Amino acid sequence: RLSLRGIRKRFKAVEVLHGIDLDVKDRELIVFVGPSGCGKSTLLRLIAGLDPITEGEFLLNDQRMNDVAPSRRGIAMVFQSYALYPHMNVYENMAFGARLMGLDKAEVEARIAEAARMLRLEALMERRPRELSGGQRQRVAIGRALVRKPQLLLLDEPLSNLDAALRSDVRLEIARLHREIGGTTIYVTHDQVEAMTLADRIVVMNGGRIEQFGSPRELYETPSNVFVANFIGSPR
Ligand code: ATP
Ligand code: MG
């Protein structure tokens, strides 16, 4: 269970999140949509603990997380820019976070084998990130997060670099893993179709605020304003 209460974020004097309130239940897959620059990635980074919250409170299962170190939040994040460890090969990249969690070697190996199979990375396990294409790097970043089976999984446009066939496969695998892990997933995308098909509920953001939070059906049938109606209604 995740709660955001009056979250504000300022970079120097500029405020980019203007008071975000959100309550997410366990096992929900929540999709964030909204135009470029509206604050989606910033909000994910605050939740992951990579940037301090300027004002407001973030609770996970009723525990205040504002000042908890990122590694102790039980959260895994896939970044828009992958952020792989350049000196480690694919296998080591995927094993790193899981080992830190104290899982035994056999369990880590089994989880990596499963992730490698579903993300089609088996043949690439010895390569380093610089020897991979953009889409391959993105798959490693997804695998690294999934291997940890986190209670809260944050995915920032995880499919943007994949071709259409792989995109629909990986999207289905993410949905399956979300259900299997039984935690909460927050998924950022620009793709309305992705949002409508994956989400239990969708957060529509604009200019550092939430315009509407509801099921795909609610947003489609009863958009709270013209912005939401246009955003949901206009395939890109
Ligand atoms: P996109 O869809 O393009 O990824 P986004 O919704 O993820 O956009 P953010 O990256 O969260 O947008 O950025 C929100 C706003 O905060 C933007 O105006 C951006 O320029 C600003 N911003 C983000 N990070 C910083 C930073 N470290 N310092 C100053 N401003 C920042
Ligand atoms: Mg972003």
Side-chain angles (χ1 to χ4, degrees):
R1 217 159 53 266
L2 172 150
S3 299
L4 302 175
R5 309 244 169 95
I7 297 283
R8 292 175 182 273
K9 178 62 183 175
R10 284 188 282 277
F11 292 108
K12 304 252 168 62
V14 182
E15 187 169 275
V16 301
L17 295 174
H18 309 296
I20 301 285
D21 294 297
L22 185 68
D23 277 290
V24 174
K25 292 178 252 173
D26 287 342
R27 295 175 180 274
E28 276 196 297
L29 199 162
I30 302 296
V31 172
F32 287 5
V33 297
S36 184
C38 72
K40 305 180 295 294
S41 297
T42 300
L43 187 52
L44 250 53
R45 292 176 54 81
L46 299 189
I47 292 170
L50 303 172
D51 240 336
I53 294 170
T54 307
E55 213 180 296
E57 238 186 355
F58 162 37
L59 307 174
L60 205 53
N61 300 321
D62 299 321
Q63 196 196 340
R64 185 185 150 98
M65 302 301 278
N66 290 50
D67 307 312
V68 175
S71 60
R72 299 184 166 273
R73 294 188 181 198
I75 295 174
M77 178 160 173
V78 176
F79 298 89
Q80 230 169 340
S81 58
Y82 328 134
L84 299 174
Y85 305 112
H87 57 290
M88 294 184 194
N89 69 25
V90 168
Y91 184 93
E92 291 159 349
N93 261 283
M94 287 168 65
F96 188 66
R99 291 240 180 82
L100 280 186
M101 293 166 62
L103 295 176
D104 69 64
K105 204 163 169 245
E107 175 67 19
V108 173
E109 267 171 28
R111 289 187 185 189
I112 290 174
E114 190 195 358
R117 184 185 46 74
M118 75 178 229
L119 294 163
R120 315 225 176 109
L121 291 168
E122 287 119 317
L124 305 174
M125 300 305 276
E126 312 270 307
R127 302 242 197 125
R128 288 176 199 259
R130 65 165 184 279
E131 299 162 340
L132 300 172
S133 73
Q136 290 166 343
R137 281 179 213 174
Q138 195 156 27
R139 275 138 66 196
V140 177
I142 295 169
R144 184 176 59 176
L146 294 182
V147 160
R148 297 176 60 183
K149 303 202 175 180
Q151 275 309 296
L152 182 54
L153 176 60
L154 308 175
L155 300 159
D156 199 350
E157 303 199 39
L159 310 184
S160 54
N161 248 312
L162 307 184
D163 63 45
L166 199 54
R167 192 176 298 176
S168 79
D169 284 3
V170 175
R171 185 200 300 156
L172 287 172
E173 289 295 344
I174 287 172
R176 186 181 67 75
L177 256 126
H178 161 75
R179 283 193 296 272
E180 184 189 310
I181 297 168
T184 302
T185 299
I186 297 179
Y187 188 106
V188 173
T189 181
H190 274 104
D191 184 327
Q192 273 92 329
V193 175
E194 221 165 276
M196 297 304 255
T197 53
L198 266 181
D200 295 314
R201 293 195 285 171
I202 298 176
V203 173
V204 182
M205 289 182 67
N206 185 29
R209 290 192 172 79
I210 293 179
E211 296 278 355
Q212 190 169 2
F213 179 39
S215 69
R217 189 177 176 145
E218 280 164 355
L219 263 56
Y220 191 74
E221 292 180 350
T222 52
S224 64
N225 57 41
V226 173
F227 178 84
V228 175
N230 284 340
F231 201 81
I232 295 297
S234 65
R236 306 172 357 129

